[in-house]
């Protein structure tokens, strides 16, 4: 269970309404703001699907006219730019300015049933077996979340800040939303957050972004904003190159050096392994890791990275067996 500091139930409601009151400038009319507050509370209390119809049922207005509630979203009654600015200000109020600020970038998809719904296209269905992939209609998004300070037990909560629609030429148009890939969307989100941090007086604070293997690509690495470090998972057979050496004489200098060992090959080398211990959900975890580099990724010759290899675990037998696959990460050099 999470060991974050909790607020007693009688004091939770005033705190929640005080936080929601800060979003009043996001709407023009008071009655529209009251409707937004009702929707927010119903989303917290809803036990079923978090649809607008389910929200109205939770509020006890399932038999009333729904048109005003749908206009809240279809007529852009809510200024999302103001919402994002207010949310970021509230999160920064509890995040210290010392040490790096940690964010997480990841993509998700929302299954849909209509081919004409804006932003919908065919994509890989996640619930189909790997040996027989299927497809379904869905909207794909990439989002950026900010992590709150870790507790002594190693817990941390993620606060979603912004989501971008991912679409190609094959998906249905969604207003003026441009076409973008997942790496391009991640770069746009990191640049957006870096600019907001600089405007908030945190230009000297380093932004550490965590991601999976979809973001350890040359597109993301060469588009990183200043004072931003990317820590992303990479494949075990990822091609890495050493830094080039200067060669006197005429002609273009080489941008890549000799090809180095793959992350999986580094796993079987001796020397450089060090144990590291940290807390995860109240439990002390010790891993053995190795740091090598700097390396270059093909397509990003001016964005050096470090390789972090974490050894796996396979010990014990039967019910006491503990197994963890080795992990490989690329860390950008700020």
């Amino acid at each position: 269970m999470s060991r974050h500091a909790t607020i007693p139930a009688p004091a939770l409601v005033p705190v929640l309404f005080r936080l929601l009151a800060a979003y009043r400038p996001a709407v023009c009319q008071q009655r529209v703001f009251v409707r937004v507050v009702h929707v927010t509370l119903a989303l917290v209390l809803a036990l079923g699907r978090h649809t607008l119809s389910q929200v109205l049922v939770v509020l006890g207005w399932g038999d009333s006219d729904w048109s005003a509630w749908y206009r809240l979203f279809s007529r852009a009654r809510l200024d999302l730019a103001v919402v994002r600015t207010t949310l970021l200000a509230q999160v920064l109020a509890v995040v210290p300015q010392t040490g790096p600020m940690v964010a997480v970038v990841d993509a998700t998809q929302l299954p849909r049933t209509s081919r004409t719904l804006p932003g919908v296209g065919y994509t890989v269905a996640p619930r189909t077996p790997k040996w027989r992939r299927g497809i379904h209609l869905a909207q794909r998004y990439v989002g950026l979340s900010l992590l709150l300070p870790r507790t002594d037990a190693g817990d941390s909560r993620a606060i979603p800040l912004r989501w971008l629609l991912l679409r190609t030429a094959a998906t249905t148009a969604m207003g003026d939303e441009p076409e973008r890939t997942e790496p391009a969307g991640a770069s746009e989100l990191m640049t957006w957050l870096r600019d907001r941090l600089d405007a908030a007086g945190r230009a000297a604070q380093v932004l550490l972004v965590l991601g999976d293997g979809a973001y350890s690509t040359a597109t993301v690495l060469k588009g990183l904003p200043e004072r931003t470090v990317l820590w992303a998972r990479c494949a075990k057979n990822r091609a890495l190159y050493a830094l080039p050496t200067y060669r006197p004489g005429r002609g273009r200098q080489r941008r890549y050096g000799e090809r180095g060992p793959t992350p999986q090959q580094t796993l079987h080398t001796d020397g450089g392994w060090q144990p590291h211990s940290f807390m995860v959900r109240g439990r002390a975890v010790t891993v053995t890791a190795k740091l090598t580099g700097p390396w270059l990724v093909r397509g990003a010759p001016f964005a050096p990275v470090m390789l972090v290899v974490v050894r796996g675990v396979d010990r014990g037998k039967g019910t006491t067996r503990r197994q963890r696959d080795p992990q490989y990460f690329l860390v950008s050099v700020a």
Side-chain angles (χ1 to χ4, degrees):
M1 296 180 60
S2 175
R3 299 187 181 182
H4 282 270
T6 57
I7 301 175
L12 180 61
V13 175
V15 172
L16 177 59
F17 278 103
R18 184 168 64 251
L19 293 175
L20 292 177
Y23 296 88
R24 177 60 182 86
V27 294
C28 296
Q29 299 178 342
Q30 178 66 22
R31 61 182 180 86
V32 178
F33 176 69
V34 173
R35 189 169 289 121
V36 171
V37 173
H38 279 95
V39 171
T40 304
L41 295 177
L43 287 173
V44 176
L45 299 175
L47 300 178
R49 298 180 59 194
H50 285 64
T51 59
L52 187 54
S53 57
Q54 180 66 27
V55 165
L56 295 179
V57 171
V58 172
L59 294 173
W61 297 331
D63 297 333
S64 61
D65 184 16
W66 295 6
S67 57
W69 299 91
Y70 277 94
R71 284 197 299 269
L72 178 63
F73 302 96
S74 62
R75 301 292 179 84
R77 300 288 175 84
L78 190 65
D79 192 340
L80 292 180
V82 177
V83 172
R84 297 189 188 105
T85 302
T86 305
L87 176 60
L88 181 59
Q90 291 178 337
V91 176
L92 293 182
V94 297
V95 177
Q97 299 188 21
T98 58
M101 182 173 295
V102 185
V104 179
V105 61
D106 199 5
T108 187
Q109 55 179 261
L110 301 177
R112 301 302 186 190
T113 57
S114 173
R115 184 64 181 88
T116 59
L117 191 68
V120 166
Y122 284 101
T123 184
V124 177
R127 294 186 178 181
T128 54
K130 294 183 179 180
W131 47 268
R132 192 175 181 83
R133 286 294 192 187
I135 60 174
H136 70 158
L137 290 172
Q139 290 175 320
R140 297 186 65 245
Y141 289 87
V142 59
L144 184 70
S145 303
L146 205 58
L147 294 183
L148 297 181
R150 286 166 54 91
T151 65
D152 295 337
D155 298 324
S156 180
R157 298 186 185 276
I159 308 298
L161 295 180
R162 188 181 181 187
W163 293 87
L164 293 178
L165 178 69
L166 302 177
R167 59 178 301 266
T168 64
T171 59
T172 307
M174 188 172 181
D176 57 352
E177 195 72 24
E179 299 178 9
R180 62 168 65 91
T181 61
E182 186 174 346
S187 298
E188 184 176 345
L189 288 173
M190 288 186 286
T191 302
W192 172 82
L193 181 57
R194 182 70 265 178
D195 293 341
R196 296 303 182 277
L197 294 179
D198 294 346
R202 301 202 179 201
Q205 190 170 20
V206 176
L207 175 62
L208 173 61
V209 182
L210 311 179
D212 57 20
Y215 311 108
S216 61
T217 61
T219 303
V220 179
L221 291 173
K222 65 183 180 182
L224 283 177
E226 296 181 354
R227 304 176 305 283
T228 302
V229 177
L230 176 66
W231 184 303
R233 194 190 306 269
C234 74
K236 61 182 179 181
N237 59 346
R238 185 61 182 268
L240 300 174
Y241 299 86
L243 298 180
T245 56
Y246 174 75
R247 296 183 178 182
R250 300 179 60 184
R252 179 181 177 182
Q253 295 291 329
R254 297 181 58 183
R255 293 192 173 183
Y256 306 94
E258 299 296 329
R259 179 166 177 173
T262 63
Q264 189 177 32
Q265 292 173 343
T266 305
L267 180 66
H268 304 288
T269 58
D270 297 329
W273 296 98
Q274 296 181 358
H276 300 272
S277 299
F278 46 87
M279 297 294 295
V280 178
R281 298 177 182 176
R283 182 171 60 92
V285 177
T286 301
V287 299
T288 304
K290 183 176 183 178
L291 178 69
T292 64
W295 304 102
L296 294 177
V297 174
R298 180 69 69 176
F302 306 110
V305 296
M306 304 295 291
L307 173 65
V308 178
V309 180
V310 180
R311 275 181 173 169
V313 175
D314 190 358
R315 58 174 177 267
K317 295 182 180 180
T319 58
T320 62
R321 183 181 181 185
R322 296 186 58 191
Q323 186 177 11
R324 184 173 62 240
D325 294 333
Q327 304 294 329
Y328 314 97
F329 304 93
L330 293 183
V331 184
S332 64
V333 179

